[in-house]
Amino acid sequence: MHLTSRRRALALAAALATLAPGLALAQAKLKVAGIYTVPFEQQWAGRLHQALKAAEARGEIEYKASENVSNADYERVMREYATGGSQLIVGEAFAVEAAARKVAKDFPKTAFLMGSSGKPAAPNFSVFDNYIQEPAYLSGMVAGGMTKSNKIGMVGGFPIPEVNRLMNAFMAGAKEVNPKVEFSVSFINSWFDPPKAKEAAFAMIDKGADVMYAERFGVSDAAKEKGKLAIGNVINTQAQYPDTVVASALWHFEPSADRAIKLIKDGKFTAEDYGPYSMMKYKGSSLAPLGTFEKKVPAEVVAKMKAKEKAIVDGSFTVKVDDNQPKSSK
């Protein structure tokens, strides 16, 4: 390029940036940070990580993440990312609500999209959760049709609304197909302790449960060792357990992540509840394909489940959201 032409081009670019700073910013990749109290491989955090890695692979964002951050250290890490120029911070505020919201207040120009039981807070603190009670209900229907002992074991992390609503929906689905089914319910009070979850599952299997609801890692291992069946949650582990995991209620964080990224780029991000974007009509959740169990689940159960799935998507059936702690059958 001729020197004079180059000078003109630079002058024009500078003028444009002065007139419309947004144009210059639009070209830069959005800086996104993920902060997780558990390892990337844990189901829930893994879905966030996967969705943001996909946006990174498409070239939309620059993504950095921290795993295994302790609750005591969470606020410090949030502040580090915010101070470092992250424009969107994603993570879970469940055990650090007050601290997370305090950080958001201190950085009003940073967008926060946090897993939370609370409400959004203007101007910049949006909340989400895995509202996957719809596929959980469908997976319950499959479980109700597969149990021979009419006993289903359920092992969860903590009895918080986010877990309770999935378990209750699963139980309701199982009861619809099989009114005789009974449940054993137990919580390990940890988000990631596979040995403890496995131990709890063994105890239920010893008492006659032949289908296990694997809300946590470790449960499917117990089912596999004992030759029983399992229903997965949040991610599909059938490839690892082809003879054990019948069906799984899957969570897809992509609709939520992609919405937040687009709104920030458009300068329109506000505090809102992203919960609905985890529902089936937004493709935020689904029932995993039956795969290796396609020919093993009774045809009439599959037909009922497919009809219910259609009713959920078209809005003619609503899965009840029950946040109460589920109890074992008496």
Side-chain angles (χ1 to χ4, degrees):
M1 188 187 275
H2 191 273
L3 193 57
T4 314
S5 307
R6 189 166 177 273
R7 278 188 187 138
R8 274 189 197 140
L10 286 171
L12 181 64
L16 276 172
T18 313
L19 290 167
L23 283 178
L25 282 174
Q27 306 311 315
K29 283 184 189 175
L30 194 74
K31 285 188 170 185
V32 180
I35 312 172
Y36 313 118
T37 61
V38 288
F40 294 141
E41 74 211 64
Q42 192 261 8
Q43 303 110 296
W44 192 91
R47 296 316 258 183
L48 276 61
H49 190 55
Q50 180 181 305
L52 294 170
K53 290 293 279 181
E56 180 187 42
R58 293 194 303 267
E60 290 180 19
I61 65 170
E62 185 186 303
Y63 175 54
K64 289 179 180 171
S66 300
E67 61 182 331
N68 293 317
V69 177
S70 70
N71 290 343
D73 212 21
Y74 205 90
E75 183 180 346
R76 180 190 65 78
V77 177
M78 280 182 87
R79 288 186 183 280
E80 264 184 22
Y81 277 123
T83 308
S86 291
Q87 293 152 283
L88 170 63
I89 294 176
V90 179
E92 74 262 46
F94 297 114
V96 287
E97 284 284 355
R101 289 169 185 269
K102 191 167 121 200
V103 175
K105 268 188 182 167
D106 291 346
F107 294 90
K109 291 193 174 143
T110 305
F112 292 83
L113 180 57
M114 306 294 288
S116 168
S117 306
K119 301 278 183 222
N124 61 332
F125 193 89
S126 283
V127 297
F128 68 88
D129 187 26
N130 59 334
Y131 269 83
I132 60 168
Q133 62 274 0
E134 295 166 334
Y137 187 99
L138 299 175
S139 71
M141 292 178 78
V142 173
M146 289 299 282
T147 178
K148 291 187 169 59
S149 67
N150 291 330
K151 289 183 178 175
I152 294 177
M154 306 180 69
V155 179
F158 291 91
I160 63 169
E162 292 72 19
V163 173
N164 297 345
R165 73 172 68 107
L166 306 187
M167 285 186 153
N168 285 321
F170 172 88
M171 292 162 88
K175 282 271 192 195
E176 182 185 327
V177 168
N178 183 354
K180 294 179 185 169
V181 78
E182 292 181 349
F183 304 95
S184 300
V185 181
S186 149
F187 294 92
I188 61 168
N189 295 314
S190 168
W191 290 133
F192 194 75
D193 191 341
K196 196 172 180 183
K198 190 176 179 182
E199 195 181 305
F202 276 146
M204 292 175 181
I205 290 166
D206 288 347
K207 288 180 181 171
D210 63 351
V211 177
M212 294 299 305
Y213 176 71
E215 201 270 328
R216 292 290 109 195
F217 274 157
V219 177
S220 295
D221 291 308
K224 182 183 175 183
E225 279 184 35
K226 296 285 189 177
K228 305 301 179 189
L229 302 176
I231 301 291
N233 183 56
V234 176
I235 62 172
N236 189 359
T237 56
Q238 195 181 70
Q240 292 79 30
Y241 306 92
D243 301 317
T244 306
V245 175
V246 186
S248 299
L250 305 183
W251 182 32
H252 311 292
F253 188 62
E254 287 77 0
S256 297
D258 296 348
R259 175 180 171 79
I261 290 164
K262 185 180 186 312
L263 287 173
I264 295 165
K265 287 189 170 179
D266 292 346
K268 293 177 181 172
F269 185 90
T270 56
E272 64 175 311
D273 184 353
Y274 278 63
Y277 299 103
S278 289
M279 294 171 83
M280 288 177 81
K281 72 173 177 181
Y282 289 105
K283 297 188 166 43
S285 57
S286 65
L287 185 72
L290 294 175
T292 51
F293 279 86
E294 206 163 335
K295 303 273 194 298
K296 299 177 191 173
V297 179
E300 66 273 17
V301 173
V302 174
K304 276 185 187 173
M305 184 268 290
K306 294 272 187 203
K308 191 64 75 176
E309 183 175 37
K310 184 177 177 296
I312 288 169
V313 175
D314 71 24
S316 58
F317 178 78
T318 303
V319 175
K320 186 184 171 197
V321 174
D322 181 356
D323 289 345
N324 295 306
Q325 182 172 336
K327 300 276 194 290
S328 298
S329 305
K330 286 174 183 166

